[in-house]
Amino acid sequence: MSPRIATILLLTLVRCTAAVALTPYQVDPHTLHLWHLDEKSPPFIDSSPDGFPLRSLHNGAESGQLSNPGLGHAISFNHHTGGTPFWSNLKGAILTIAPELSGDKSDNAPDNFRFQGDDGAFTYEALIKFDLLPEQSQTIALAILTMDGENDDRIFSFRIEREGFLSFSPLPDSGAAGGALASIPTTGPHAINTRDWFHVAVSYNGLPGTPGALRLFWTRIGSGVEEANAIGSGMLTANLARTTGDFAIGNEARSSGDGNAEAEPFPGLIDEVRMSSVARHPTDFIFIPPEKRVSPELAAERANDESSSERFELQINRIDVDGETIHHIPQNGSPLQLKPGLHRLDFDIGAISGLRRAVQLRSQLEGFNEEWKESSLGMSLSFEFLDAQLKPLSQAQFNMNGHSPGWDTGFAFSRFIHRRAPLLAPPNSQFLRVTLSSGAPDTSGSLGIDNLHIVRPNRPELSLWENGDFEGGVNILSPMRAPSGWQRGGDEPAIALVSTGEGSTILCLIDGDQTKSGKWSAIQKIDFDPGHAEDRSLMVSWSEAYNIIPGNQQRATFLNVPAGTYHFRAIGVTDQGPPTSASVSLELEVKPYFWETTWFTPAITASIISLIAIAILRHRHRRHHRRMHELSLQTALERDRTRIARDMHDDLGTRVSVLNLTASLARRSIGCAPEKASAHLDKISTASRELVAAMDELVWAVDPSNDHLDSLALQLTRHAEEVFQDSEIRCRLDIPPSLPHHPINSDLRHHVSMAVREAFHNILKHAGPCEVFLKFTFEAGQLEIEIRDNGRGFDETAANHGNGLINIRNRIRELGGTAKIQSQGHKGTLLVLQCPVPKTPHLRTP
């Protein structure tokens, strides 16, 4: 024999001897159903006295597969006969109690098929072995045991989620909410793999509304443990209804008109399926030797003893300050000391020693808020308004517990419910923080939101929140990617996921870890008008779907706790069994800033008095200086207007003299030279119009009421009308309909007006028939006037351009601005005038 073959045989022998041989279950008084699944073909016998055989294998399910040593054979469900992987139309392998599958109640389990005890308690268990790990399977989920149906008979689903969770879910017709969800181990002695057999179980003790009444177990066969490995717990709000549905192993047997088929086949082997009427003790399972098992009778006796002497105490399990966990909670009455500032405090309170009864809690922060308030359960969506330093000002929190209307077995099959609520932003609000939190660490379940919108009621079409559909981002459906603007947080950021539901991207929390929590959070700036209180009124809306299982821990939250000494108290009472109560307390101190200390006030008072005296003296000095400056400006303004009036008067006098001279020449020429008289009369007409225009310019220049931008813009409009009204040139104006009421001085008005008028005359003389465009803009204290025509243009390199352009540049240069001219032959001319507009006081002459 070759060494290689010998090595292979040796390894095979070692592996076979390492496998632990098990003994099949025997029926006891609490066994409702027991299927060994050893038959080569259906029916598969139910060993319980009033049992029901499983009559049919469908869609390629294969019996007769080798099971764990000592257990004979198993059934393989890693098959399908049609449909699309990952979709609800997949026809996967399945084992049913009915001979045929149908879309009505004809394939339901018989009415007398029992799946719980008289008190509602049960245990469902099986042995499983994977061909593919959950994330490698091509199915929506990996069903183990289900009672599902098409109409009003959907009761429960015990399955593995592709994301790596073991779950038990009451379905819509079960009459119960809640369930259990727990992460499957990926490390340690019970880590999931495709080599070993695993025992999986869910048990319920028949106490509805009690945290921890529902328990999940995951145990590797051969791990050497002496009791089942508990991986999570949950609760049911009520016992399951006794209605029967489509009972199946290895898949769901539900089919419906929307194309849903057998879409959850288990990718591997299932064997030794047992259903019991009690919550089995963790040692009462197949991998524990029979002599070491705790029977249901002995377990009930122990439970009664524990209940009669059950110690009920409360403890503070966790404190978060501004979202950061305090890792060392003081003991023995020592106060918790916090740094200065306003703080958000979250206290997680729970019962000690695994109390299995529901607790009602109230809490108080003495010294801050004397009111006792209910602590919150479940997950939450909160909206916090923050100031400019990101300190919280107020919070609106919306808690989710149980399951939402329309919840099914996951987001892909659930109906999202629209929800909205009003928000009021406090004064000084600058930012809004939105947080989706899984709550206390022992809370588990699933929560998803979509279509987050924040609007003002008077403008509902404008959403103030960006990326509320969570579509923005790169490859956001990858495991640890996040939509734009959102960040993961908490003890276990992997709880925060992005998924799909109703055809869109959803932000979700899937929490199967009852020792950690996770959250999503995002901060965005919201612009508020401080002068309008109605601007701070907002409306928030979103769509939600959830199935949340609360634990024993509850959370108390206090916002904006300032400097001071406080006493936190929590009291609790059980709402089942003998009435018992307990309390817990903690001293804490928020240190003050130095200006909040006792010595600060006297010292600052003396400083303030001194500063007031200095301020009064400086105020008088500034007032005197300001008055002198105003008088100086007023004198300069009057002197400037006198100069303008004088210049205009000289120009007016010249024009009158020319008018008189021309009139004399016309009289002389009437008799002897009529054609010259006509020319003189035309000149008189032209001079008269220019005289009127000059008088208007004079009145406008000296009128102080025109010292603003609107008046300047109107004057430029008049210039355009006067210059181009009888020409072939068309002028188009681009002047803002509403200019800021910004004062300007007379120098700026005069020079800008003259420069624009000079430019218009140049166009009239030299551009020929064309279009002229005037654009007037004012922004950030800068005035810009753009004059553009599409006329003949001129050569900028030519030496002789006359004095017009020089005058324009000189006028704008006196104002501290620039005049830019661009022109090309036959391509028009562009003139851009830019000058600063100082905000000078608007002074009227007395």
Side-chain angles (χ1 to χ4, degrees), residues 256-275:
S256 61
D258 59 3
N260 191 68
E262 298 79 44
E264 301 177 6
F266 183 84
L269 304 176
I270 297 180
D271 193 17
E272 207 70 19
V273 178
R274 182 172 71 166
M275 304 178 72

Side-chain angles (χ1 to χ4, degrees), residues 202-250:
V202 55
S203 69
Y204 171 61
N205 62 12
L207 297 178
T210 302
L214 197 65
R215 304 185 73 190
L216 295 174
F217 299 93
W218 178 278
T219 310
R220 183 177 65 85
I221 300 301
S223 58
V225 296
E226 296 185 355
E227 66 175 43
N229 177 48
I231 61 172
S233 63
M235 63 176 289
L236 293 177
T237 59
N239 292 338
L240 297 177
R242 299 189 180 275
T243 305
T244 60
D246 296 348
F247 179 75
I249 294 175

Side-chain angles (χ1 to χ4, degrees), residues 53 262 310 328 401 480 522-523 554 666 767 782:
E262 298 79 44
E310 191 173 57
H328 301 288
N401 206 355
M480 291 307 290
I523 296 178
Q554 300 183 36
Q782 187 81 6

Side-chain angles (χ1 to χ4, degrees), residues 422-425 455-458 528 532-539:
L423 299 176
L424 182 61
V455 300
R456 292 187 173 91
N458 57 349
F528 297 101
H532 296 82
E534 64 274 10
D535 196 50
R536 296 187 284 108
S537 178
L538 304 177
M539 183 70 69

Side-chain angles (χ1 to χ4, degrees), residues 618-778:
R618 294 192 63 182
H619 174 70
R620 289 183 176 180
H621 176 73
R622 283 197 303 268
R623 186 173 62 181
H624 175 73
H625 180 74
R626 184 170 59 252
R627 180 58 180 164
M628 295 299 295
H629 182 63
E630 290 175 356
L631 291 174
S632 176
L633 287 175
Q634 186 171 343
T635 300
L637 183 61
E638 290 176 353
R639 185 170 58 250
D640 187 54
R641 285 177 174 158
T642 300
R643 175 185 58 78
I644 293 173
R646 184 179 62 249
D647 291 344
M648 294 300 292
H649 181 267
D650 292 344
D651 180 60
L652 185 62
T654 301
R655 293 179 188 276
V656 171
S657 298
V658 171
L659 190 62
N660 288 333
L661 179 60
T662 306
S664 299
L665 293 175
R667 280 197 304 271
R668 295 177 185 176
S669 303
I670 288 175
C672 59
E675 65 281 0
K676 291 184 178 181
S678 177
H680 291 316
L681 291 175
D682 290 341
K683 187 174 182 180
I684 290 173
S685 178
T686 301
S688 298
R689 287 197 300 271
E690 292 176 353
L691 177 60
V692 171
M695 292 179 65
D696 289 342
E697 187 76 22
L698 170 63
V699 173
W700 180 79
V702 299
D703 188 353
S705 65
N706 292 323
D707 287 349
H708 52 82
L709 289 173
D710 278 334
S711 178
L712 177 58
L714 181 60
Q715 184 69 4
L716 299 186
T717 304
R718 291 197 192 105
H719 286 340
E721 292 174 353
E722 291 172 2
V723 174
F724 300 122
Q725 62 181 352
D726 294 327
S727 68
E728 297 181 0
I729 296 175
R730 296 292 176 263
C731 185
R732 303 186 184 279
L733 306 176
D734 183 4
I735 297 177
S738 178
L739 289 167
H741 192 73
H742 195 293
I744 58 177
N745 58 48
S746 59
D747 267 355
L748 188 143
R749 283 201 297 126
H750 175 68
H751 286 303
V752 170
S753 173
M754 290 294 103
V756 172
R757 191 177 185 90
E758 182 74 31
F760 285 164
H761 277 293
N762 285 343
I763 293 171
L764 182 64
K765 292 177 183 178
H766 304 297
C770 64
E771 284 188 319
V772 179
F773 301 88
L774 171 66
K775 184 177 181 181
F776 186 101
T777 57
F778 176 73

Side-chain angles (χ1 to χ4, degrees), residues 277-487:
S277 61
V278 295
R280 296 275 182 180
H281 191 270
T283 65
D284 195 12
F285 291 128
I286 196 169
F287 51 86
I288 303 295
E291 67 275 10
K292 293 185 178 181
R293 297 176 189 173
V294 175
S295 67
E297 292 77 12
L298 180 57
E301 183 179 342
R302 290 181 180 179
N304 289 333
D305 293 341
E306 291 176 0
S307 177
S308 61
S309 60
E310 191 173 57
R311 182 170 57 94
F312 174 32
E313 294 183 19
L314 292 178
Q315 70 177 3
I316 300 173
N317 296 319
R318 171 170 165 164
I319 302 175
D320 286 353
V321 179
D322 301 327
E324 299 293 331
T325 302
I326 300 295
H327 296 287
H328 301 288
I329 301 175
Q331 304 295 329
N332 304 320
S334 300
L336 173 65
Q337 295 187 340
L338 304 177
K339 64 183 180 181
L342 295 174
H343 296 294
R344 168 188 170 138
L345 306 180
D346 295 301
F347 298 88
D348 288 343
I349 311 104
I352 301 178
S353 70
L355 182 70
R356 295 295 177 188
R357 288 182 281 168
V359 177
Q360 293 182 352
L361 278 177
R362 287 181 175 272
S363 57
Q364 175 202 46
L365 188 60
E366 183 181 353
F368 175 70
N369 188 344
E370 306 302 319
E371 178 183 357
W372 289 83
K373 64 178 186 177
E374 294 273 358
S375 300
S376 62
L377 283 170
M379 301 185 184
S380 65
L381 177 64
S382 62
F383 301 87
E384 290 178 274
F385 289 101
L386 314 175
D387 63 13
Q389 287 74 43
L390 301 182
K391 291 294 184 180
L393 299 175
S394 70
Q395 180 194 50
Q397 181 167 304
F398 302 91
N399 296 320
M400 292 85 162
N401 206 355
H403 66 79
S404 60
W407 174 261
D408 207 314
T409 53
F411 297 122
F413 302 105
S414 298
R415 175 169 51 90
F416 278 67
I417 304 301
H418 183 71
R419 187 173 179 182
R420 65 179 181 180
L423 299 176
L424 182 61
N428 301 324
S429 297
Q430 296 288 324
F431 296 89
L432 178 63
R433 175 163 55 206
V434 179
T435 302
L436 192 67
S437 171
S438 65
D442 65 345
T443 300
S444 59
S446 302
L447 165 62
I449 65 168
D450 194 8
N451 299 320
L452 175 63
H453 294 290
I454 300 172
V455 300
R456 292 187 173 91
N458 57 349
R459 282 174 283 174
E461 73 285 355
L462 179 62
S463 180
L464 303 178
W465 191 261
E466 299 176 1
N467 198 22
D469 57 4
F470 314 118
E471 299 288 349
V474 180
N475 198 18
I476 58 174
L477 291 181
S478 294
M480 291 307 290
R481 295 296 181 116
S484 299
W486 291 87
Q487 292 184 336

Side-chain angles (χ1 to χ4, degrees), residues 67-145:
S67 183
N68 191 81
L71 299 180
H73 295 88
I75 296 177
S76 170
F77 296 90
N78 190 20
H79 310 277
H80 66 85
T81 58
T84 307
F86 304 107
W87 288 83
S88 59
N89 64 1
L90 183 69
K91 292 183 178 296
I94 187 171
L95 172 61
T96 62
I97 197 170
E100 299 292 338
L101 296 172
S102 71
D104 54 31
K105 294 189 176 184
S106 62
D107 60 346
N108 281 16
D111 291 341
N112 59 343
F113 182 87
R114 296 183 63 199
F115 52 91
Q116 58 187 324
D118 294 337
D119 60 352
F122 59 80
T123 300
Y124 306 148
E125 57 183 302
L127 292 180
I128 62 174
K129 183 177 184 294
F130 293 95
D131 294 338
L132 297 170
L133 295 178
E135 68 271 15
Q136 299 169 337
S137 67
Q138 296 184 331
T139 62
I140 296 172
L142 294 69
I144 301 171
L145 201 65

